[in-house]
PDB file of all heavy atoms in Angstrom:
ATOM      1  N   PRO A  86     101.403  73.816 112.849  1.00  0.00           N
ATOM      2  CA  PRO A  86     102.282  74.785 112.232  1.00  0.00           C
ATOM      3  C   PRO A  86     103.353  74.062 111.408  1.00  0.00           C
ATOM      4  O   PRO A  86     103.856  73.031 111.699  1.00  0.00           O
ATOM      5  CB  PRO A  86     102.944  75.542 113.389  1.00  0.00           C
ATOM      6  CG  PRO A  86     101.987  75.298 114.559  1.00  0.00           C
ATOM      7  CD  PRO A  86     101.357  73.986 114.331  1.00  0.00           C
ATOM      8  N   GLU A  87     103.751  74.729 110.300  1.00  0.00           N
ATOM      9  CA  GLU A  87     104.809  74.199 109.457  1.00  0.00           C
ATOM     10  C   GLU A  87     106.075  73.897 110.149  1.00  0.00           C
ATOM     11  O   GLU A  87     106.687  72.912 109.857  1.00  0.00           O
ATOM     12  CB  GLU A  87     105.022  75.231 108.298  1.00  0.00           C
ATOM     13  CG  GLU A  87     105.717  74.633 107.119  1.00  0.00           C
ATOM     14  CD  GLU A  87     105.857  75.552 105.959  1.00  0.00           C
ATOM     15  OE1 GLU A  87     104.797  76.299 105.700  1.00  0.00           O
ATOM     16  OE2 GLU A  87     106.898  75.619 105.326  1.00  0.00           O
ATOM     17  N   GLU A  88     106.447  74.734 111.101  1.00  0.00           N
ATOM     18  CA  GLU A  88     107.681  74.565 111.873  1.00  0.00           C
ATOM     19  C   GLU A  88     107.629  73.184 112.640  1.00  0.00           C
ATOM     20  O   GLU A  88     108.649  72.509 112.719  1.00  0.00           O
ATOM     21  CB  GLU A  88     107.859  75.716 112.823  1.00  0.00           C
ATOM     22  CG  GLU A  88     109.078  75.600 113.587  1.00  0.00           C
ATOM     23  CD  GLU A  88     109.154  76.735 114.723  1.00  0.00           C
ATOM     24  OE1 GLU A  88     108.509  77.788 114.599  1.00  0.00           O
ATOM     25  OE2 GLU A  88     109.838  76.468 115.780  1.00  0.00           O
ATOM     26  N   VAL A  89     106.483  72.854 113.168  1.00  0.00           N
ATOM     27  CA  VAL A  89     106.353  71.561 113.934  1.00  0.00           C
ATOM     28  C   VAL A  89     106.491  70.367 112.923  1.00  0.00           C
ATOM     29  O   VAL A  89     107.219  69.416 113.186  1.00  0.00           O
ATOM     30  CB  VAL A  89     104.990  71.522 114.702  1.00  0.00           C
ATOM     31  CG1 VAL A  89     104.781  70.154 115.312  1.00  0.00           C
ATOM     32  CG2 VAL A  89     104.932  72.640 115.692  1.00  0.00           C
ATOM     33  N   MET A  90     105.869  70.556 111.762  1.00  0.00           N
ATOM     34  CA  MET A  90     105.970  69.504 110.762  1.00  0.00           C
ATOM     35  C   MET A  90     107.441  69.322 110.267  1.00  0.00           C
ATOM     36  O   MET A  90     107.915  68.231 110.086  1.00  0.00           O
ATOM     37  CB  MET A  90     104.997  69.714 109.584  1.00  0.00           C
ATOM     38  CG  MET A  90     103.522  69.629 109.985  1.00  0.00           C
ATOM     39  SD  MET A  90     103.130  68.045 110.801  1.00  0.00           S
ATOM     40  CE  MET A  90     103.505  66.936 109.545  1.00  0.00           C
ATOM     41  N   ASP A  91     108.120  70.458 110.125  1.00  0.00           N
ATOM     42  CA  ASP A  91     109.499  70.482 109.685  1.00  0.00           C
ATOM     43  C   ASP A  91     110.366  69.740 110.753  1.00  0.00           C
ATOM     44  O   ASP A  91     111.316  68.953 110.376  1.00  0.00           O
ATOM     45  CB  ASP A  91     110.038  71.867 109.483  1.00  0.00           C
ATOM     46  CG  ASP A  91     109.455  72.520 108.200  1.00  0.00           C
ATOM     47  OD1 ASP A  91     108.889  71.774 107.371  1.00  0.00           O
ATOM     48  OD2 ASP A  91     109.627  73.744 108.079  1.00  0.00           O
ATOM     49  N   ASN A  92     110.084  70.002 112.019  1.00  0.00           N
ATOM     50  CA  ASN A  92     110.877  69.296 113.063  1.00  0.00           C
ATOM     51  C   ASN A  92     110.613  67.808 113.017  1.00  0.00           C
ATOM     52  O   ASN A  92     111.536  67.014 113.196  1.00  0.00           O
ATOM     53  CB  ASN A  92     110.448  69.883 114.494  1.00  0.00           C
ATOM     54  CG  ASN A  92     111.188  71.150 114.783  1.00  0.00           C
ATOM     55  OD1 ASN A  92     112.344  71.337 114.509  1.00  0.00           O
ATOM     56  ND2 ASN A  92     110.433  72.091 115.459  1.00  0.00           N
ATOM     57  N   LEU A  93     109.380  67.402 112.801  1.00  0.00           N
ATOM     58  CA  LEU A  93     109.083  65.926 112.717  1.00  0.00           C
ATOM     59  C   LEU A  93     109.796  65.347 111.540  1.00  0.00           C
ATOM     60  O   LEU A  93     110.378  64.281 111.708  1.00  0.00           O
ATOM     61  CB  LEU A  93     107.565  65.764 112.555  1.00  0.00           C
ATOM     62  CG  LEU A  93     107.119  64.298 112.762  1.00  0.00           C
ATOM     63  CD1 LEU A  93     107.248  63.903 114.218  1.00  0.00           C
ATOM     64  CD2 LEU A  93     105.686  64.158 112.279  1.00  0.00           C
ATOM     65  N   LYS A  94     109.810  66.022 110.370  1.00  0.00           N
ATOM     66  CA  LYS A  94     110.496  65.481 109.207  1.00  0.00           C
ATOM     67  C   LYS A  94     111.962  65.445 109.377  1.00  0.00           C
ATOM     68  O   LYS A  94     112.647  64.492 109.038  1.00  0.00           O
ATOM     69  CB  LYS A  94     110.185  66.318 107.962  1.00  0.00           C
ATOM     70  CG  LYS A  94     108.804  66.219 107.441  1.00  0.00           C
ATOM     71  CD  LYS A  94     108.498  67.145 106.269  1.00  0.00           C
ATOM     72  CE  LYS A  94     107.032  67.298 106.081  1.00  0.00           C
ATOM     73  NZ  LYS A  94     106.668  68.516 105.286  1.00  0.00           N
ATOM     74  N   SER A  95     112.509  66.454 110.060  1.00  0.00           N
ATOM     75  CA  SER A  95     113.958  66.549 110.348  1.00  0.00           C
ATOM     76  C   SER A  95     114.367  65.388 111.315  1.00  0.00           C
ATOM     77  O   SER A  95     115.455  64.746 111.113  1.00  0.00           O
ATOM     78  CB  SER A  95     114.367  67.880 110.912  1.00  0.00           C
ATOM     79  OG  SER A  95     114.105  68.903 109.916  1.00  0.00           O
ATOM     80  N   ALA A  96     113.522  65.159 112.247  1.00  0.00           N
ATOM     81  CA  ALA A  96     113.807  64.084 113.259  1.00  0.00           C
ATOM     82  C   ALA A  96     113.894  62.715 112.485  1.00  0.00           C
ATOM     83  O   ALA A  96     114.770  61.951 112.704  1.00  0.00           O
ATOM     84  CB  ALA A  96     112.737  64.036 114.355  1.00  0.00           C
ATOM     85  N   ARG A  97     112.957  62.533 111.569  1.00  0.00           N
ATOM     86  CA  ARG A  97     112.863  61.263 110.776  1.00  0.00           C
ATOM     87  C   ARG A  97     114.214  61.069 109.935  1.00  0.00           C
ATOM     88  O   ARG A  97     114.807  60.036 109.947  1.00  0.00           O
ATOM     89  CB  ARG A  97     111.649  61.285 109.905  1.00  0.00           C
ATOM     90  CG  ARG A  97     111.508  60.044 109.117  1.00  0.00           C
ATOM     91  CD  ARG A  97     110.943  58.947 109.846  1.00  0.00           C
ATOM     92  NE  ARG A  97     110.538  57.848 109.041  1.00  0.00           N
ATOM     93  CZ  ARG A  97     110.981  56.597 109.202  1.00  0.00           C
ATOM     94  NH1 ARG A  97     111.689  56.267 110.228  1.00  0.00           N
ATOM     95  NH2 ARG A  97     110.616  55.637 108.391  1.00  0.00           N
ATOM     96  N   THR A  98     114.601  62.158 109.357  1.00  0.00           N
ATOM     97  CA  THR A  98     115.820  62.186 108.529  1.00  0.00           C
ATOM     98  C   THR A  98     117.039  61.866 109.385  1.00  0.00           C
ATOM     99  O   THR A  98     117.881  61.066 109.054  1.00  0.00           O
ATOM    100  CB  THR A  98     116.036  63.550 107.863  1.00  0.00           C
ATOM    101  OG1 THR A  98     114.894  63.781 107.003  1.00  0.00           O
ATOM    102  CG2 THR A  98     117.302  63.561 106.935  1.00  0.00           C
TER     103      THR A  98
END
Side-chain angles (χ1 to χ4, degrees):
E87 197 173 319
E88 181 186 335
V89 174
M90 293 308 297
D91 288 346
N92 278 322
L93 191 69
K94 289 175 195 163
S95 296
R97 181 80 170 127
T98 301

